[in-house]
């Protein structure tokens, strides 16, 4: 794996109140003045979140909901089946219950219905006496379905954050931070974040005395935001930072049961991280739609007691365990195919009857991340194939799909992730056309696996005080990665396997001339670096961490990669 440093020399921090490494990281992230730095390092919920009525159509939305309340109308809540859509549905359903508005939730079955509003759902809402439909985390591409709802006497409000087509659907109102000319100042909200802004506005308009309690919904908002891999900057950073605090002491029986059933390693005494959401909570919520139905996760998060939540969490845990097994098997097969067939290509494409549709997005993401190329994995049906794309920063997948739209049945998404349906007869021509776009766009981009490090450091730079300062950069995630440092020409003072099956390595490193010694842990790297020897000179890429053992807390390096020298 190639290494690339964002900067190779630490800037001097004369006149700065920050450690040179902190100064360099702040500068690297474009945080130059003290006010920006204060907002970043010490986010404040009231100061750093925006007025929901800055959305250009929000007033129209809340007045329509007010009309629904006054006229005792029933609202249809249509949420997408993934974690962002499910959390959005939970937020809106909670709001309807608190405001006294009758509502009906519909989450589509992933395999048979796919993404977005569909005719079956529209007809379901009509049968249930719904007069106002709100689509959450979807709707921007559902022109025909919204037209059908209109013709049946229902009005539709679209609450979405995805790509905005040239022609908008004929909805009663659209709340989407990416709308051209939108007056809301932050464009990177996910479906759950955008839904939360609607909920805030509804309470301000219809139940202002309840607005202060909305912070207890932030565990749900944070889950949707991290699960949808949104950049943890600006307002998202605030929502997730406070959402993690709420999650640590969650009142939500569904989360309590999920944490207990899954034996998740956090709670009020151990604050969860964005990584915990990304690798523990989000996969469990997504397992519902991938292996069963998204309503399972919705019902779990809506549970009002542990007694009702526990059996749902147990069922979800079983689905997640099975999802992990299938994902590993399928990912290995796709990776082997990619290495055999697409080694010299810029785009990885695989369609097969045996790829479960519920996990193709997961596999595409894993392949795109490991091989650093845009990837599409598809489930092949008798006449049509459906699948998911995941991309790299240099390639906008939704723009490329637009250029192929004439041969697609259906598509949607955003720059980094998308989905599509295509007739099998068009698979070959699609690959040729899409790959040509990728080859042209990525012609000068080195797609060999790349590790980006923030900067090289020296052993003497590393201290518990620096670690505490780095914690202020959290929550880490998309758009705000955890800082990765490089130590060059250090010597292995000790190396040994730890954990079952020699999966992990425990290292001790020191400078070339002796002196300070630091511990390091290399999780899941035992096989890759199992031939390291004591006394060997290495370069090490790492994040800074702490290790507590027998009541003692010491600084520890968490190894990301090793380059052996000497």
């Amino acid at each position: 794996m190639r290494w690339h440093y964002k900067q190779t020399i630490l800037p001097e921090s004369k006149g700065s109140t920050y450690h040179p490494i902190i100064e360099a990281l702040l500068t690297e992230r474009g945080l130059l003045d003290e006010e920006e730095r204060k907002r970043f390092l010490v986010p404040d919920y009231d100061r750093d979140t925006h007025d929901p009525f800055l959305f250009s159509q929000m007033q129209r939305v809340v007045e329509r909901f007010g009309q629904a309340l006054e006229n005792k109308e029933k609202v249809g809540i249509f949420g997408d089946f993934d974690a962002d859509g499910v959390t959005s549905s939970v937020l809106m359903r909670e709001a309807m219950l608190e405001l006294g508005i009758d509502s009906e939730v519909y989450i589509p079955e992933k395999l048979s219905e796919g993404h977005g509003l569909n005719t079956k759902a529209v007809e379901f809402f009509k049968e249930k006496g719904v007069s106002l439909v709100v689509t959450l985390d979807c709707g921007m591409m559902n022109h025909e379905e919204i037209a059908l709802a209109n013709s049946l006497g229902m009005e539709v409000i679209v609450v979405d954050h995805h790509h905005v087509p040239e022609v908008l659907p004929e909805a009663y109102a659209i709340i989407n931070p990416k709308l051209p000319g939108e007056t809301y100042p932050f464009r990177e909200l996910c479906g759950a974040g955008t839904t939360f802004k609607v909920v805030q506005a509804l309470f301000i308009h219809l139940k202002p005395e309840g607005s202060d309690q909305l912070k207890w919904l932030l565990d749900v908002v944070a889950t949707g935001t991290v699960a949808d891999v949104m950049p943890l900057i600006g307002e998202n950073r605030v929502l997730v930072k406070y959402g993690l605090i709420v999650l640590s002491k969650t009142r939500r029986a569904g989360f309590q049961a999920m944490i207990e059933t899954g034996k998740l390693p956090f709670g009020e005494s151990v604050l969860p991280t964005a990584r915990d959401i990304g690798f523990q909570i989000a996969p469990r919520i997504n397992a519902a739609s991938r292996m069963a139905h998204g309503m399972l996760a919705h019902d779990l998060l809506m549970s009002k007691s542990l007694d009702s939540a526990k059996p749902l969490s147990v069922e979800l845990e079983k689905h997640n365990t099975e999802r992990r097994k299938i994902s590993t098997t399928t990912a290995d097969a796709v990776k082997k195919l990619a290495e055999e067939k697409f080694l010299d290509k810029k785009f990885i494409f695989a369609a097969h009857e045996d790829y479960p549709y519920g996990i193709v997005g997961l596999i595409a993401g894993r392949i795109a991340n490991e091989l650093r190329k845009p990837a599409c994995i598809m489930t092949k049906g008798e006449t049509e194939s459906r699948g998911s794309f995941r991309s790299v920063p240099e390639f906008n997948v939704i723009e490329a799909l637009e250029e192929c739209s004439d041969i697609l049945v259906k598509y949607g998404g955003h720059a980094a992730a998308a989905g599509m349906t295509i007739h099998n007869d068009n698979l070959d021509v699609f690959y040729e056309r899409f790959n040509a776009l990728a080859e042209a766009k990525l012609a000068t981009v080195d797609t060999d696996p790349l590790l980006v490090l923030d900067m090289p450091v020296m052993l003497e730079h590393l201290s518990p005080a620096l670690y505490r300062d780095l914690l202020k950069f959290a929550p880490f995630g998309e758009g705000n990665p955890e800082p990765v440092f490089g130590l060059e020409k250090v010597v292995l003072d000790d190396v040994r396997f730890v954990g079952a099956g020699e999966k992990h390595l425990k290292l001790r490193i020191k400078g070339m001339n002796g002196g300070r010694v630091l511990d390091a842990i290399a999780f899941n790297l035992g096989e890759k670096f199992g031939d390291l020897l004591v006394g060997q000179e290495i370069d090490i890429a790492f994040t800074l961490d702490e290790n507590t053992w027998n009541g003692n807390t010491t600084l520890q390096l968490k190894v990301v990669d090793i380059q052996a020298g000497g």
Side-chain angles (χ1 to χ4, degrees):
M1 183 182 294
R2 294 181 300 119
W3 290 11
H4 170 73
Y5 285 111
K6 292 179 183 176
Q7 50 189 318
T8 56
I9 301 174
L10 287 179
E12 292 186 20
S13 55
K14 291 178 181 176
S16 172
T17 56
Y18 302 103
H19 186 290
I21 290 176
I22 299 300
E23 176 70 35
L25 290 171
L26 290 169
T27 302
E28 176 189 290
R29 282 160 167 72
L31 301 165
L32 304 179
D33 67 61
E34 196 53 41
E35 181 61 27
E36 286 181 308
R37 292 177 170 191
K38 180 181 178 183
R39 287 177 180 272
F40 179 81
L41 295 172
V42 191
D44 180 87
Y45 181 81
D46 294 321
R47 180 193 66 203
D48 298 329
T49 55
H50 303 299
D51 181 351
F53 286 97
L54 292 174
F55 274 103
S56 58
Q57 299 183 46
M58 190 65 84
Q59 188 63 38
R60 180 172 170 81
V61 167
V62 297
E63 287 175 359
R64 182 64 186 85
F65 273 98
Q67 181 184 329
L69 176 62
E70 185 177 343
N71 297 334
K72 295 181 168 46
E73 297 178 60
K74 182 180 282 190
V75 172
I77 299 170
F78 183 93
D80 203 6
F81 51 70
D82 67 2
D84 192 17
V86 168
T87 51
S88 298
S89 301
V90 169
L91 293 168
M92 187 59 69
R93 175 73 172 142
E94 291 276 19
M96 295 299 97
L97 288 170
E98 286 295 318
L99 295 171
I101 299 175
D102 193 12
S103 63
E104 195 80 44
V105 175
Y106 190 105
I107 293 174
E109 198 276 320
K110 182 173 184 175
L111 185 60
S112 62
E113 296 176 80
H115 286 280
L117 185 63
N118 60 64
T119 300
K120 182 181 175 183
V122 173
E123 292 171 347
F124 169 84
F125 286 139
K126 182 63 179 176
E127 289 172 6
K128 293 292 185 178
V130 165
S131 54
L132 175 63
V133 175
V134 55
T135 69
L136 305 173
D137 192 36
C138 60
M140 295 306 299
M141 307 298 287
N142 293 123
H143 298 71
E144 293 179 11
E145 293 82 4
I146 290 173
L148 173 62
N150 292 339
S151 72
L152 293 175
M154 293 181 283
E155 292 175 319
V156 181
I157 293 171
V158 172
V159 179
D160 200 359
H161 72 113
H162 288 105
H163 173 73
V164 178
E166 286 188 18
V167 178
L168 298 177
E170 293 184 0
Y172 179 84
I174 298 175
I175 303 294
N176 185 332
K178 294 185 175 71
L179 272 180
E182 178 54 72
T183 50
Y184 195 77
F186 185 66
R187 290 174 55 84
E188 299 299 333
L189 292 170
C190 67
T194 308
T195 302
F196 182 65
K197 303 313 291 188
V198 175
V199 170
Q200 282 185 312
L202 288 174
F203 271 75
I204 291 170
H205 186 72
L206 299 172
K207 193 177 181 179
E209 68 277 12
S211 293
D212 285 346
Q213 292 302 305
L214 294 182
K215 287 181 183 177
W216 284 104
L217 297 175
L218 289 176
D219 49 1
V220 180
V221 180
T223 297
T225 303
V226 174
D228 222 42
V229 200
M230 303 309 294
L232 299 189
I233 57 174
E235 191 168 15
N236 282 344
R237 177 173 172 77
V238 185
L239 295 174
V240 172
K241 190 175 184 75
Y242 281 85
L244 290 168
I245 296 170
V246 174
L247 181 60
S248 72
K249 55 184 76 172
T250 185
R251 296 175 174 178
R252 192 165 296 276
F255 276 142
Q256 292 171 359
M258 188 189 298
I259 291 166
E260 182 182 331
T261 302
K263 298 180 174 57
L264 305 187
F266 55 81
E268 198 157 359
S269 59
V270 181
L271 193 69
T273 65
R275 183 178 176 84
D276 289 322
I277 291 179
F279 286 87
Q280 300 287 354
I281 291 179
R284 284 171 166 81
I285 295 175
N286 280 325
S289 62
R290 286 173 172 145
M291 307 302 293
H293 196 291
M295 282 302 292
L296 170 60
H298 170 275
D299 293 345
L300 173 61
L301 293 183
M302 287 299 300
S303 297
K304 297 306 176 187
S305 71
L306 271 174
D307 286 343
S308 62
K310 189 68 184 207
L312 296 176
S313 70
V314 170
E315 184 181 351
L316 193 61
E317 190 69 20
K318 289 178 182 176
H319 288 310
N320 189 52
T321 300
E322 182 63 21
R323 186 270 312 165
R324 277 201 302 260
K325 292 178 184 174
I326 295 173
S327 296
T328 299
T329 303
T330 308
D332 289 345
V334 173
K335 189 173 181 184
K336 183 179 179 183
L337 174 69
E339 291 170 344
E340 290 173 353
K341 190 176 177 181
F342 299 102
L343 204 57
D344 60 342
K345 304 289 187 182
K346 297 291 188 183
F347 171 49
I348 295 166
F349 184 68
H352 200 282
E353 297 87 348
D354 293 340
Y355 298 160
Y357 181 64
I359 62 168
V360 290
L362 253 179
I363 306 305
R366 191 173 299 179
I367 296 299
N369 184 54
E370 287 185 21
L371 302 183
R372 209 169 171 272
K373 298 177 182 179
C376 174
I377 312 301
M378 305 203 75
T379 302
K380 198 171 183 179
E382 287 187 16
T383 59
E384 291 182 347
S385 294
R386 289 187 294 162
S388 291
F389 292 77
R390 295 295 183 270
S391 196
V392 293
E394 298 89 350
F395 187 75
N396 187 315
V397 71
I398 195 68
E399 288 181 357
L401 280 172
E402 282 187 323
E403 295 195 42
C404 303
S405 60
D406 58 302
I407 56 171
L408 304 181
V409 175
K410 188 178 180 182
Y411 73 99
H414 44 79
M420 79 165 183
T421 302
I422 186 172
H423 289 299
N424 290 342
D425 292 345
N426 288 327
L427 283 172
D428 290 340
V429 66
F430 170 78
Y431 174 74
E432 294 302 327
R433 196 190 297 185
F434 196 94
N435 184 63
L437 294 169
E439 295 283 352
K441 187 69 175 177
L442 300 173
T444 59
V445 176
D446 191 340
T447 52
D448 286 341
L450 176 73
L451 176 63
V452 177
L453 294 81
D454 287 271
M455 67 196 74
V457 295
M458 293 179 284
L459 282 168
E460 54 265 33
H461 283 136
L462 308 178
S463 67
L466 174 62
Y467 173 70
R468 289 192 294 272
D469 284 344
L470 288 172
L471 288 179
K472 296 176 184 176
F473 282 67
F476 300 119
E478 184 72 16
N480 183 44
E482 185 173 5
V484 179
F485 305 110
L487 272 171
E488 299 179 351
K489 295 185 177 179
V490 292
V491 175
L492 269 174
D493 189 59
D494 187 37
V495 55
R496 56 190 170 89
F497 290 107
V498 292
E502 299 186 338
K503 283 181 65 176
H504 319 304
L505 287 174
K506 185 77 173 176
L507 315 174
R508 200 162 59 233
I509 59 169
K510 63 183 179 181
M512 292 288 288
N513 299 314
R516 189 178 186 194
V517 176
L518 278 178
D519 288 331
I521 184 74
F523 290 115
N524 300 309
L525 293 175
E527 183 178 351
K528 186 175 182 181
F529 297 114
D531 57 352
L532 291 174
L533 300 172
V534 172
Q536 186 173 353
E537 178 188 321
I538 60 171
D539 298 339
I540 182 171
F542 67 95
T543 60
L544 206 55
D545 199 9
E546 282 186 336
N547 181 46
T548 299
W549 179 255
N550 288 337
N552 295 318
T553 299
T554 56
L555 204 62
Q556 178 176 256
L557 314 184
K558 191 181 289 185
V559 177
V560 178
D561 194 25
I562 295 171
Q563 291 186 343

